[in-house]
Amino acid sequence: MSDREANTTLPSVGLGTMGLDGESGVKSVRTAVEMGYRHLDTAQIYDNEAVVGRGLAESDVPREDVVVATKVWADKLGYHDALASTTESLERLQIDCADLVYVHRPIDAYDPKRTLAAFDELVDSGRTRHVGVSNFSLSELDEALDLLDAPLFAHQTELHPLFYDPELVSHAQEHDYYLVAYSPLSAGKVFDVPELSEIAEKHDADEAAVSVAWLAGKENVVTIPKASGEDHMRANLAAADLELDDEDVRKIESIEREEELFPE
């Protein structure tokens, strides 16, 4: 992965914050940052940007040490709405500039030319350092690459042992942007996959660690498991250090069971 503008890089494991809310959510975010998480992922539709902002602000870690990413929801993807809603997101997050802002889904108000022009303006106006897209198909990714003036920094998509698209991984590697894998534990379903259980036993680990390690070990791929409890957050962070061998990877990628959690 080459250096990007502003030298922003994404660590192998970040924190997905969907569902973190209220005072307990603030505490979870603060704990995660102080534990070592350096990538916080939120979205307008999660309705918790203020929670994430407070958690970061109340931590003892400098703002500039943490990548803060949010996503513009589908009904705000018109040119002016994208600009205005991102400004509102920054206010809720208590930051002057996001590190990464995504198009959340290419539906509803999404218009490739107008929407992506707005995202270029977000960079030019200093509201974000980088732009990304989320839940895009290969053809939509190619279109975005063609239309954006700013480099495409990341594509966030569902990716886990029960829903794996190697073409999306290859595309990210070919065009040198991050693939940010969400729901890496398949909403807990990874604990009921025999192939993962076999690999976990082999490495004296659990199925969650195997899933995170498999993703984190791929070039240009990072992952953002959601967790609220300290033990799970610590385990997810440590899982990046688990080294799987080629046999393990082949076994994971040959799993025939397929379950997509968030179809369009």
Side-chain angles (χ1 to χ4, degrees):
M1 177 64 64
S2 60
D3 288 339
R4 301 305 206 281
E5 293 177 13
N7 200 33
T8 305
T9 57
L10 295 181
S12 297
V13 178
L15 182 70
T17 68
M18 186 173 68
L20 298 185
D21 200 7
E23 292 301 320
S24 62
V26 172
K27 180 181 178 182
S28 292
V29 172
R30 183 177 66 244
T31 299
V33 172
E34 292 178 347
M35 182 185 295
Y37 279 85
R38 293 297 178 265
H39 174 196
L40 301 175
D41 180 84
T42 183
Q44 294 173 354
I45 197 67
Y46 299 170
D47 197 26
N48 70 352
E49 289 170 316
V51 167
V52 173
R54 272 192 57 200
L56 177 57
E58 292 179 10
S59 76
D60 58 11
V61 177
R63 154 72 186 103
E64 59 268 21
D65 289 352
V66 181
V67 174
V68 179
T70 192
K71 309 178 202 74
V72 179
W73 183 238
D75 63 352
K76 299 295 184 184
L77 291 174
Y79 184 90
H80 296 291
D81 284 343
L83 298 178
S85 69
T86 299
T87 298
E88 293 167 358
S89 290
L90 297 179
E91 292 171 355
R92 289 188 290 268
L93 287 162
Q94 301 181 46
I95 58 178
D96 296 324
C97 175
D99 297 290
L100 174 58
V101 176
Y102 294 93
V103 176
H104 201 148
R105 279 189 182 274
I107 57 173
D108 198 354
Y110 179 69
D111 175 270
K113 290 184 178 180
R114 293 179 182 273
T115 301
L116 297 175
F119 274 66
D120 277 327
E121 175 59 23
L122 290 175
V123 175
D124 292 342
S125 64
R127 278 172 271 197
T128 186
R129 293 183 176 87
H130 302 288
V131 297
V133 297
S134 186
N135 303 297
F136 273 42
S137 66
L138 288 171
S139 62
E140 288 164 339
L141 285 164
D142 285 333
E143 183 178 46
L145 285 166
D146 184 57
L147 291 173
L148 280 168
D149 289 332
L152 179 65
F153 185 75
H155 175 217
Q156 185 173 140
T157 188
E158 179 179 345
L159 201 68
H160 49 77
L162 298 181
F163 191 72
Y164 178 57
D165 188 340
E167 290 187 338
L168 288 179
V169 175
S170 296
H171 194 275
Q173 293 167 345
E174 177 185 353
H175 294 280
D176 196 29
Y177 60 82
Y178 286 103
L179 191 153
V180 179
Y182 68 76
S183 299
L185 309 186
S186 187
K189 294 179 182 179
V190 296
F191 293 100
D192 188 33
V193 179
E195 294 90 340
L196 297 179
S197 298
E198 292 172 10
I199 297 169
E201 183 177 1
K202 171 182 171 181
H203 292 279
D204 192 24
D206 65 16
E207 295 85 349
V210 169
S211 300
V212 170
W214 167 63
L215 290 166
K218 292 185 175 297
E219 182 184 357
N220 287 58
V221 178
V222 303
T223 187
I224 48 170
K226 183 183 73 172
S228 57
E230 186 171 345
D231 288 345
H232 286 159
M233 287 191 290
R234 196 176 301 280
N236 290 337
L237 199 60
D241 295 328
L242 175 62
E243 294 186 9
L244 304 181
D245 58 35
D246 292 343
E247 179 186 357
D248 299 328
V249 172
R250 284 193 296 270
K251 183 175 291 188
I252 293 170
E253 294 176 9
S254 65
I255 293 172
E256 294 184 358
R257 175 180 165 189
E258 182 173 303
E259 296 189 31
E260 182 180 8
L261 298 176
F262 298 100
E264 183 176 326

